[in-house]
Amino acid sequence: MIPFLLLAAAGQAATPALPPEAKALTVAQKAAQLVNEAPAEPALNLPAYDWWSEGLHGIARNGPSTVFPQAMGMAATWDTTLIQKVGDVVATEARAKFNAQPLNADRGLYQGLTIWSPNINIFRDPRWGRGQETYGEDPFLTSRIGIAFVRGLQGPDLKHPKVIATVKHMAVHSGPEGGRDSFDVMVSPRDLEATYLPAFRATVTEGKALSLMCAYNAIHGTPVCASPMLLTQRLRTDWGFNGLVVSDCDAVGNIWMFHHAQPDAPAAAAAALRAGTDLNCGNAYRSLPQAVERGLITEGEIDTALARALAVRRMLTVDSPWNRIKASEVGTPAHRALALETARKGIILLDNPNDLLPLKGKKLAVFGADADDLGVLEGNYHGTAINPVTPLQGIRAKFGGDIRYAQGSVLAEGAFVGVPETALSADGKPGLTVATMGANGQWVATGHNSRIDFNYTKAAPFQRRWTGTLTPPGPGQYKLRLDGPACWHACPAHDAVKLYIDDQLVVDDVIGGKKLVTMIDGSAPRRIRVEIDHKGGDEGLRLQWLPPAEALTAEALKVAGTADVLIAVVGLSPDLEGEALGVSVPGFAGGDRTEVVLPEPQRKLLAALQATGKPVVAIVMSGSAVSLGDFKPAATLAAFYPGTEGGTALAEILAGDVNPSGRLPVTIYSSTADLPAFADYGMKERTYRYFTGKPAWGFGHGLSYTRFDYAQPTVTTSVAVGRPVDVAVQLRNIGQRAGEEVTQAYLVPPPTDEKLVLTDPVLQRQLVGFTRVALKPGQVGTARFTIDPRMMSQVWRDGTRRILPGTYKLYIGGGQPGDGAGQWTQFTVTGQAQELPK
C-alpha cells in the first residue's frame, strides 16, 4: 500500500514525491496511469479508475441524482452561500454512489470522485451553445460563484477533500463549437488578463481548486494543453498552483491531428506533458514510452505527473472521513428542497409593466413545447432527474388540474419536439397505457404515462410497451421519431425500440440509429404502440414529432379562447444548444446559435396569442440569452433550465407565493446585429463591460413584486493605492411584500494615461461586489461591500494590471446605473500607481 500522499493545495506545498513502489514501474505502466481510463495496477494496490466524472449541476451521467438548475440558473441566484451548499450536495451524492461499492472496486466512466466541474469560461457571446454551462459573462460574478461551488465540492479540509473540483476550460474557450478542435484564438494581452483569466486565477488562489482542465483551442498558434506560458508560468509559477492538470478529452491528440503543431502522437504527448498537462483524457499519453525512447521527454518528467495523479487517488480514499457517507444519501428531501430553493432564486422577473403578476383569480391556459419537456429542466451534463416537475405540471398543481394546454409550435423550423399529452389518449385519459414484460413472458399492465419522455438508468434490464391512440390536432403530414439523449463516450449497445402505427411496424431500430423516423397522415386518429428493450445502461426514450404549423396554431387559438391569461413557455432546448450537436436548422448550427432572437415558429405563436387581445405571460427557458424581438408580453420571466423542481418554482412565482429575486448573469441583446463576429474573441462591444448599445435587458437586471429604496452610501472617502475600500448602504423595502434584493456595486475607474486605438474595448463599468438583502415591508437593512484592490485595477494593452490614483465613481443599487433604484458615490485613491502581479 502506498502511504498517504498529500496533493498540495494551490500555493501551499511542493509537488508530492513519487513513492518507491511507483518508481519501480515501467514507463508503459506509468503512462497507463496518466490517461483517464487508468487500468488496475497491482504493484500499487490500485483498482482501475476512470478519472472522468461530471457534476456541473448535480452528479451527472451516473443514474438518479438531484438535478439542480443548469449553471446559468445557479449564477442567476447571485447567491454564493447557496451555491456552496449546492456544491456540497453534488459532492455528497458523488460520494454516496462511490461508497455503494467496496473501496477497492474498479471505477468506470462517471463513477469516480474527480469531478470535471465547474465550467468557468466567460460567456462572451450568447451564440455559444455551451454557454449554459458557465456562470455568465462577468469575470467577477463568475469568480465568486466559481469559488463557492469549488469550496462546496471539495469541503473544508483539503487534506481530505470530499471530491476534487476541476475548473475548466483554461483558457479563452467559448465557441464556436464547429472547429473547436483546431481553433486558434488571436486574443490580445489586455483581453486575456482582464476577461479570460481572472476566474481561473480566483478559483485557484482563493477557491483552492485542486485540479484544472486545459482547453481544446490554441492561443496565438500554441495549443493550450501544450502552452508553458499558461500551464507553467501563469498557473504554477504566478498563481502557485500545485494540483493536477487534465486535458479536455482528446485535446492532446488534437495537438498533432488538428492543430498540426506536432508531427505525431508521441511528440504531442511530450509537448503537453512538458508544458504541465499531467493527465490525458484520451489515448495520446499511451505513446509516452515512444516519446521517452526518442528523447522528447524524460522518465523523470513523467514521474512528476504521476506523483500528482497518485496523490489524488490516495487523498480521496485513504482514511477519508467521507467514506462514511451512505448510498442512501441521493435525492433526499433536503437535497430536493435545496434544488427548489435554487430554482426559486434563479428565476428572473424581466418585465411586469402593468403588475399582471402575480396571478390571482384568473383562468389560465398554457402553451409552448418547453412547457412539458424533461430536457429543458435538466439542461446538459445532467443526472437522471428524480420525479421532475415540468412547468405545465407545476402550474396545474398550483392553479388547478383543469388548466388546458396546447403545444402551439415547434421550437425551431425543422426541429422535432415531444408528442404532447393532448395528442395521446388511452382508456379515456390523456396519455398512453404502460405495460412491462413479466418474468413469464407476458405483458403486465403497470400504469399510465402522459407522454413518452424518459431517462433510464443503469438499473436491471426491462421491456416496456405503451399503447393508445394518437390524435393529431389537424390534417397534414406528421413526421414521428423515437429518440433518446445523446451518448457522449464509451456508449453501450443502444436500446432497441419499435413503433407501430395501426398495428403496422414502421420503426425498428436502436436509439441513435438512422431508421427512427416515419411519416403519417394526420387526417384521422391512429392506433399507436411503442416498445423499448432497455439493456441496463444510462439511456432514455422520447416520442417526438414534426407537425404542420397550421394545425398547432389552430389548436392553440382554440385553447386560448378558454382562458383569461395565456402563459407561453418559449425558448430553446438542449437539443438545439449544447456541445458539438449535430443540429442544422434555421437559427442553429452544430450546437451554437446563429441568431439571438427567439426562433420564428415561436415568434409566430406569440403573435397569434397576442392577437386574441388577452394578456400573454412569456416564460423563457433556455441556456443562454434570448431576445423576444419586437414582441412585448404583459409579463416576462427568464427561467433558464431550472432543474428537478423548476415547474414548482415557476408556479410559486406566478402565484405570488415566492417573490422573484433572480438577476441576469448575461446581457440580453436586442438582435444579432448588436454583436461582433462570433469567431472574434476581442471584447469590444461584448458584455455589459464594453457594450455601448442599448440591450433588451441588461446584465444584473431583475425585478421584484416589491420595491426598494436606497439611501446615500457611506464610503471610505480616501484610501492609499493598494488598500481595500469599505462601503455600506441602507435600503428599505417600500412595497407591500417581503422580498430579497440583490444589491450590486459597479465601479467606474479614472481614465488611464494610455492612448487606446479604435480596436480596443473601452470599459464602461465593472461589477465589484454584490450581496442579497432580505427585507419585510417597511424594513430597513444594510448592504456592505469591501472592494478588493485588484478590482480597482485596470489592464493595459500589454497585459499589465495597475491601480491608478484618482477619483473612482461607484454605483450601488438593484442593477446597473439606470436600472432600478440606486445611488452614486465616489472615493479617492492616493499615492503612486501600483502594478499588480498577474
Side-chain angles (χ1 to χ4, degrees):
M1 176 72 71
I2 298 177
F4 178 81
L5 297 174
L6 172 63
L7 179 71
Q12 291 184 342
T15 300
L18 191 68
E21 298 93 330
K23 290 180 181 179
L25 298 177
T26 67
V27 173
Q29 288 174 312
K30 293 175 180 179
Q33 295 300 315
L34 297 179
V35 297
N36 64 290
E37 295 180 271
E41 180 45 71
L44 302 180
N45 197 24
L46 286 177
Y49 182 79
D50 197 310
W51 291 80
W52 186 354
S53 291
E54 301 286 354
L56 183 67
H57 56 122
I59 194 66
R61 301 176 178 173
N62 190 19
S65 68
T66 303
V67 178
F68 291 92
Q70 177 59 290
M72 278 286 288
M74 293 200 295
T77 68
W78 291 55
D79 190 332
T80 56
T81 301
L82 176 67
I83 301 309
Q84 185 163 338
K85 293 178 182 177
V86 171
D88 179 65
V89 168
V90 175
T92 293
E93 297 198 356
R95 276 280 176 178
K97 292 175 181 290
F98 187 90
N99 293 347
Q101 300 181 65
L103 195 60
N104 62 351
D106 293 339
R107 310 291 171 166
L109 184 65
Y110 309 134
Q111 295 179 346
L113 297 173
T114 42
I115 307 299
W116 291 355
S117 299
N119 184 339
I120 56 171
N121 291 128
I122 296 302
F123 197 5
R124 65 182 179 91
D125 191 304
R127 290 169 287 195
W128 186 33
R130 295 191 69 181
Q132 61 182 286
E133 302 172 27
T134 75
Y135 300 134
E137 69 182 40
D138 180 66
F140 182 75
L141 179 64
T142 297
S143 297
R144 304 331 293 176
I145 298 290
I147 288 168
F149 193 68
V150 167
R151 288 174 174 168
L153 286 176
Q154 296 186 160
D157 181 4
L158 294 183
K159 294 181 180 179
H160 300 95
K162 204 171 189 179
V163 299
I164 298 288
T166 302
V167 293
K168 63 184 185 184
H169 313 78
M170 184 169 162
V172 201
H173 178 74
S174 55
E177 283 297 289
R180 67 178 185 167
D181 294 308
S182 59
F183 192 68
D184 188 11
V185 180
M186 298 299 163
V187 63
S188 72
R190 184 175 182 224
D191 287 338
L192 182 66
E193 176 65 27
T195 297
Y196 295 112
L197 291 183
F200 288 98
R201 185 185 193 277
T203 50
V204 165
T205 61
E206 296 180 62
K208 308 300 182 186
L210 294 171
S211 180
L212 177 143
M213 180 181 286
C214 55
Y216 285 122
N217 56 279
I219 296 178
H220 294 291
T222 301
V224 169
C225 290
S227 173
M229 183 277 287
L230 281 177
L231 302 184
T232 300
Q233 179 60 48
R234 188 60 54 88
L235 178 62
R236 297 199 186 277
T237 301
D238 295 343
W239 300 346
F241 179 75
N242 229 346
L244 190 77
V245 174
V246 58
S247 78
D248 205 341
C249 291
D250 297 320
V252 176
N254 291 352
I255 293 171
W256 71 279
M257 295 179 66
F258 293 99
H259 290 291
H260 306 297
Q262 296 293 337
D264 54 22
L273 193 75
R274 297 193 78 171
T277 301
D278 301 303
L279 189 76
N280 169 213
C281 180
N283 292 307
Y285 272 17
R286 298 189 192 280
S287 66
L288 282 173
Q290 295 170 264
V292 172
E293 291 175 2
R294 287 162 49 178
L296 302 175
I297 198 81
T298 67
E299 187 171 352
E301 288 169 308
I302 294 175
D303 288 349
T304 298
L306 182 61
R308 295 189 185 111
L310 293 179
V312 168
R313 294 285 300 272
R314 293 305 180 185
M315 71 191 298
L316 283 169
T317 55
V318 176
D319 299 325
S320 174
W322 308 113
N323 291 340
R324 294 191 291 270
I325 291 176
K326 297 178 181 178
S328 59
E329 294 184 50
V330 174
T332 65
H335 295 178
R336 191 176 186 91
L338 186 65
L340 177 58
E341 181 186 359
T342 310
R344 287 167 173 164
K345 288 187 173 183
I347 293 171
I348 304 162
L349 179 60
L350 293 174
D351 211 2
N352 191 28
N354 298 312
D355 295 327
L356 174 67
L357 300 183
L359 297 169
K360 298 293 182 182
K362 303 289 186 181
K363 188 170 179 58
L364 309 178
V366 179
F367 307 85
D370 277 354
D372 202 26
D373 183 271
L374 175 61
V376 297
L377 296 179
E378 293 180 325
N380 73 353
Y381 282 92
H382 61 84
T384 299
I386 303 168
N387 299 321
V389 183
T390 68
L392 179 61
Q393 292 169 331
I395 291 168
R396 282 177 172 166
K398 176 60 63 176
F399 291 93
D402 60 343
I403 288 175
R404 295 189 63 184
Y405 167 67
Q407 195 170 66
S409 76
V410 294
L411 295 180
E413 184 181 345
F416 282 81
V417 292
V419 176
E421 63 169 36
T422 53
L424 303 170
S425 60
D427 299 333
K429 297 188 295 184
L432 301 171
T433 58
V434 188
T436 301
M437 180 66 72
N440 60 357
Q442 300 294 316
W443 291 105
V444 179
T446 52
H448 193 93
N449 291 141
S450 63
R451 66 198 193 285
I452 300 177
D453 185 13
F454 303 106
N455 288 336
Y456 296 123
T457 64
K458 297 174 183 176
F462 62 80
Q463 291 176 270
R464 192 158 293 163
R465 169 188 283 179
W466 294 264
T467 56
T469 301
L470 171 66
T471 304
Q477 295 297 304
Y478 291 73
K479 286 184 178 180
L480 293 178
R481 180 172 77 176
L482 292 176
D483 190 22
C487 181
W488 278 99
H489 185 72
C491 303
H494 282 301
D495 291 347
V497 291
K498 295 180 180 180
L499 170 63
Y500 296 81
I501 299 294
D502 291 336
D503 301 317
Q504 180 182 354
L505 180 64
V506 294
V507 168
D508 186 0
D509 206 341
V510 295
I511 295 295
K514 297 181 179 180
K515 300 177 182 179
L516 296 170
V517 179
T518 191
M519 182 82 76
I520 67 166
D521 176 59
S523 58
R526 315 291 290 271
R527 292 189 305 278
I528 186 171
R529 184 164 87 244
V530 177
E531 295 177 1
I532 184 171
D533 185 1
H534 179 58
K535 297 299 185 183
D538 273 349
E539 190 64 276
L541 181 64
R542 300 182 295 180
L543 175 63
Q544 297 182 302
W545 68 359
L546 191 56
E550 298 80 5
L552 292 188
T553 301
E555 181 187 39
L557 291 176
K558 184 177 180 180
V559 170
T562 68
D564 302 320
V565 176
L566 313 180
I567 301 175
V569 186
V570 297
L572 310 177
S573 86
D575 290 333
L576 295 173
E577 57 173 351
E579 181 177 7
L581 301 180
V583 177
S584 182
V585 299
F588 303 88
D592 291 323
R593 300 163 63 192
T594 59
E595 296 289 339
V596 301
V597 178
L598 187 72
E600 185 177 13
Q602 296 184 81
R603 297 202 306 271
K604 288 182 176 179
L605 169 63
L606 292 178
L609 294 177
Q610 192 170 58
T612 66
K614 297 181 179 181
V616 178
V617 177
I619 299 172
V620 182
M621 299 185 73
S622 66
S624 51
V626 176
S627 167
L628 297 181
D630 295 331
F631 182 72
K632 303 296 182 186
T636 308
L637 292 137
F640 298 107
Y641 297 139
T644 299
E645 283 280 23
T648 304
L650 271 168
E652 291 175 336
I653 287 173
L654 290 172
D657 298 345
V658 170
N659 195 342
S661 60
R663 295 294 188 270
L664 282 174
V666 289
T667 300
I668 299 181
Y669 300 92
S670 296
S671 76
T672 312
D674 291 332
L675 292 164
F678 189 12
D680 178 5
Y681 271 74
M683 290 304 297
K684 185 175 183 180
E685 295 298 333
R686 291 193 187 281
T687 77
Y688 81 96
R689 296 162 68 227
Y690 303 109
F691 183 55
T692 58
K694 182 176 176 56
W697 289 289
F699 172 89
H701 173 75
L703 303 177
S704 170
Y705 293 153
T706 190
R707 293 183 299 126
F708 300 90
D709 184 59
Y710 284 79
Q712 186 64 32
T714 59
V715 61
T716 307
T717 57
S718 180
V719 297
V721 165
R723 302 295 299 172
V725 173
D726 293 321
V727 189
V729 63
Q730 282 194 339
L731 61 158
R732 180 190 299 271
N733 183 341
I734 59 173
Q736 303 303 310
R737 291 174 176 266
E740 285 193 51
E741 173 79 326
V742 178
T743 301
Q744 305 160 43
Y746 292 89
L747 188 69
V748 180
T752 73
D753 57 2
E754 184 177 42
K755 293 182 179 179
L756 301 179
V757 298
L758 291 177
T759 57
D760 287 321
V762 178
L763 181 67
Q764 306 297 303
R765 63 188 66 89
Q766 62 182 7
L767 181 73
V768 294
F770 60 91
T771 188
R772 275 182 171 261
V773 182
L775 297 173
K776 297 176 181 178
Q779 186 178 7
V780 175
T782 302
R784 301 182 187 278
F785 306 94
T786 296
I787 303 174
D788 187 276
R790 194 168 186 87
M791 296 308 303
M792 291 183 257
S793 64
Q794 298 180 70
V795 180
W796 264 242
R797 296 187 71 200
D798 62 359
T800 58
R801 184 181 286 274
R802 300 187 185 106
I803 304 176
L804 294 180
T807 300
Y808 289 70
K809 298 178 181 179
L810 183 66
Y811 180 84
I812 299 181
Q816 293 187 59
D819 184 12
Q823 296 283 352
W824 282 99
T825 188
Q826 64 183 37
F827 59 89
T828 301
V829 172
T830 61
Q832 299 296 315
Q834 182 180 106
E835 184 171 327
L836 299 182
K838 292 185 176 180

